[in-house]
Amino acid sequence: MSGARAQIRSLVLSGDTFDQPAADIRELQIEAAREAFAAHRERIPLLRTRAEETGVGEVMALGDLVPLLFSHTSYKSYPVSLITAGRWDRLLRWYTTVSTVEPGEVDVDGVRDIDEWTERITAAGHRPYITSGTSGKVSFLNCAADDLSFLHDILEHLTCWPDPLPPKPTRRGYVLAPASGPMRSIDGFRWHAEVFARPGETRLLTDDPLRVSDLMSSALLRRRIAEGTATPQEISSHETASEACEAEMDAAVSAIVDDIAAHRDEPLLIAGMNNQQFALIQALRARGVPDGGLHPDTLVLSGGGNKGRALPEDYQQQFAAFYDGVRRVRSYGMTELQGSCLACEKGRYHVPPWVIPLILDQQGETLLNPEQGVVEGRFAFLDVSLEGRWGGLISGDRVFVDFSPCDCGRSGPAVLPDIQRYGDLGGDDKITCAATLDSYVRGMIHG
């Protein structure tokens, strides 16, 4: 990677990543967007088709990016039947329409399940990150080796921005996640442990890897139960397996809770998703650990959606109370982004320079970005740092973004804390381009 895209990436190591003059960044971002589109158009069939259909031949302004954005459903637009029928060659063909992977790069002969399919892609030098699959399907988001290296640089140099931590392994670690698995959060937590925890002193939730097949089968069954199509035997078997898994996880969490309580007077690393963190806090309080009772050099990493578990409305306030006085990473992000929008001293989430925010109307058709001030809309973006896939995406999030200078003294744009999913606000969360993009993909798979 060279040119404006490389220049923006280099800001991670500059020490003032979020302190660049707004006018300079905007000019650099337009050039980087032009480079990213030129680089990916010939490598990613779905982007090429979209460009031809919409008549966008070159990116000259932010408005040119809007017709080129993928829907957040594009990365799960494969037919589930390809997996259930074991059509791994067809699934690979789908993957190559939405990523820079070439069909000849991956050998799928003899693949037995979806886990082995993802392992074959990883062996070919790519990393297919998945989402949680709460809707019944997981997204597959391709990362190239350069993307993983850049992501590691972000966590090593920007953790706890605006007062980043030096990368020193001085803590006892607790990672509320499996030992491995194709999820960005799992890789991120593990990398944080390598950077900030003492060697050999990190406890995991389980030594077993996360299996994509288990995640998908559970999500699909939950959907079938909701639709009323699951058989009593399937439901019974699922409940038995879930109870056994829950008992195993409860025992693992209990052991971690006991260990944290015993070592709370030394610096710790505690990493886990929001629902896991909330359960951990309740258990630690029950053990007699008071709010603000951990060592001040403790580092806490949390985030993500609630993943199907309802948390109380004040869970963030409970996090702040229990972890009072420690170092916490506060951010807004998603698997589709490299890194996250990090919170400044005023609690606003500053968009990193390699991400171009594109605030759209609810239908995902019209760009609403103002020159200054606050705008409400659907969060979309182009991440110009990505090599393994096109970084242009329309999310499902309703956000308020301030394009004026922040009260912290830095330039905007910054996402305000009131973030919700359109699907949780009532009505249908439909993006106008989603159906069109999905039809392109179906044509490419079966063409």
Side-chain angles (χ1 to χ4, degrees):
M1 183 183 293
S2 59
R5 296 173 70 201
Q7 189 175 343
I8 286 180
R9 267 195 176 198
S10 69
L11 293 175
V12 168
L13 310 177
S14 68
D16 55 358
T17 307
F18 292 90
D19 297 290
Q20 306 299 312
D24 293 350
I25 286 295
R26 281 196 295 269
E27 182 178 345
L28 193 61
Q29 286 177 332
I30 289 293
E31 180 57 31
R34 186 178 299 116
E35 291 175 3
F37 175 60
H40 287 311
R41 177 176 179 172
E42 297 310 313
R43 299 190 67 192
I44 302 175
L46 180 58
L47 178 61
R48 182 171 62 249
T49 300
R50 186 66 174 166
E52 291 170 353
E53 290 286 335
T54 58
V56 178
E58 186 177 5
V59 173
M60 302 298 295
L62 294 186
D64 296 331
L65 292 170
V66 176
L68 304 174
L69 299 174
F70 292 180
S71 163
H72 62 89
T73 63
S74 297
Y75 294 102
K76 59 176 72 174
S77 58
Y78 56 88
V80 175
S81 60
L82 298 182
I83 297 175
T84 56
R87 295 301 308 273
W88 309 117
D89 56 338
R90 290 279 184 172
L91 189 63
L92 178 61
R93 182 185 293 184
W94 166 80
Y95 197 61
T96 61
T97 69
V98 296
S99 73
T100 59
V101 175
E102 297 289 342
E105 293 180 339
V106 183
D107 178 13
V108 294
D109 286 346
V111 168
R112 292 168 294 182
D113 57 25
I114 189 62
D115 295 282
E116 193 166 331
W117 183 83
T118 60
E119 290 167 4
R120 295 288 185 91
I121 294 174
T122 302
H126 297 265
R127 182 66 162 160
Y129 279 148
I130 65 168
T131 59
S132 62
T134 52
S135 64
K137 296 173 75 174
V138 301
S139 297
F140 290 95
L141 298 148
N142 189 62
C143 291
D146 282 351
D147 298 330
L148 300 181
S149 176
F150 182 56
L151 192 56
H152 197 282
D153 285 344
I154 291 170
L155 70 87
E156 183 169 335
H157 295 279
L158 292 180
T159 294
C160 282
W161 180 89
D163 184 19
L165 284 174
K168 295 180 180 179
T170 57
R171 295 165 177 80
R172 187 176 181 85
Y174 305 91
V175 174
L176 307 177
S180 62
M183 271 190 166
R184 199 190 77 167
S185 59
I186 294 176
D187 274 356
F189 291 156
R190 189 181 74 250
W191 291 340
H192 273 101
E194 292 173 0
V195 172
F196 296 108
R198 294 187 293 267
E201 292 193 34
T202 296
R203 301 188 63 147
L204 301 171
L205 191 61
T206 173
D207 291 325
D208 296 329
L210 177 140
R211 289 180 53 81
V212 184
S213 52
D214 292 341
L215 197 66
M216 292 191 72
S217 61
S218 294
L220 286 169
L221 182 58
R222 286 195 299 271
R223 188 170 74 176
R224 292 181 59 211
I225 290 173
E227 295 169 348
T229 59
T231 67
Q233 183 176 357
E234 287 174 328
I235 296 172
S236 177
S237 298
H238 175 70
E239 290 176 345
T240 300
S242 297
E243 289 171 0
C245 181
E246 187 172 344
E248 183 179 341
M249 291 301 102
D250 286 347
V253 170
S254 181
I256 287 176
V257 167
D258 289 341
D259 203 72
I260 290 176
H263 294 273
R264 62 177 179 157
D265 293 329
E266 61 183 272
L268 309 176
L269 165 69
I270 304 174
M273 305 304 283
N274 283 340
N275 55 350
Q276 300 161 327
Q277 288 278 6
F278 185 77
L280 183 72
I281 287 172
Q282 302 309 305
L284 285 168
R285 283 171 169 165
R287 296 288 202 285
V289 179
D291 288 1
L294 300 181
H295 190 283
D297 286 334
T298 291
L299 171 61
V300 175
L301 309 169
S302 62
N306 296 340
K307 308 304 179 190
R309 173 175 174 172
L311 296 180
E313 291 185 1
D314 69 339
Y315 77 93
Q316 288 287 8
Q317 288 81 1
Q318 293 201 44
F319 281 11
F322 185 80
Y323 289 130
D324 183 41
V326 309
R327 305 294 298 271
R328 289 181 64 206
V329 173
R330 295 180 299 146
S331 64
Y332 163 61
M334 57 194 72
T335 302
E336 292 87 349
L337 277 176
Q338 287 281 71
S340 300
C341 304
L342 298 176
C344 69
E345 300 90 338
K346 300 298 182 180
R348 295 183 168 197
Y349 303 113
H350 285 251
V351 182
W354 53 90
V355 175
I356 303 173
L358 303 164
I359 311 308
L360 308 179
D361 62 354
Q362 185 171 348
Q363 290 71 37
E365 296 179 302
T366 304
L367 182 65
L368 305 178
N369 286 25
E371 289 292 327
Q372 296 283 324
V374 178
V375 63
E376 173 189 356
R378 184 182 289 274
F379 189 68
F381 57 86
L382 173 64
D383 186 331
V384 299
S385 73
L386 284 163
E387 285 283 282
R389 65 183 185 275
W390 173 235
L393 190 92
I394 305 174
S395 81
D397 291 352
R398 193 286 308 272
V399 297
F400 295 86
V401 179
D402 193 347
F403 284 80
S404 299
C406 181
D407 290 343
C408 72
R410 300 177 183 88
S411 300
V415 181
L416 306 187
D418 184 15
I419 302 163
Q420 290 183 282
R421 301 282 293 181
Y422 273 109
D424 295 333
L425 295 172
D428 293 328
D429 177 21
K430 291 184 177 179
I431 301 172
T432 301
C433 69
T436 302
L437 289 167
D438 288 354
S439 68
Y440 289 162
V441 173
R442 284 193 297 270
M444 291 173 185
I445 294 174
H446 300 292

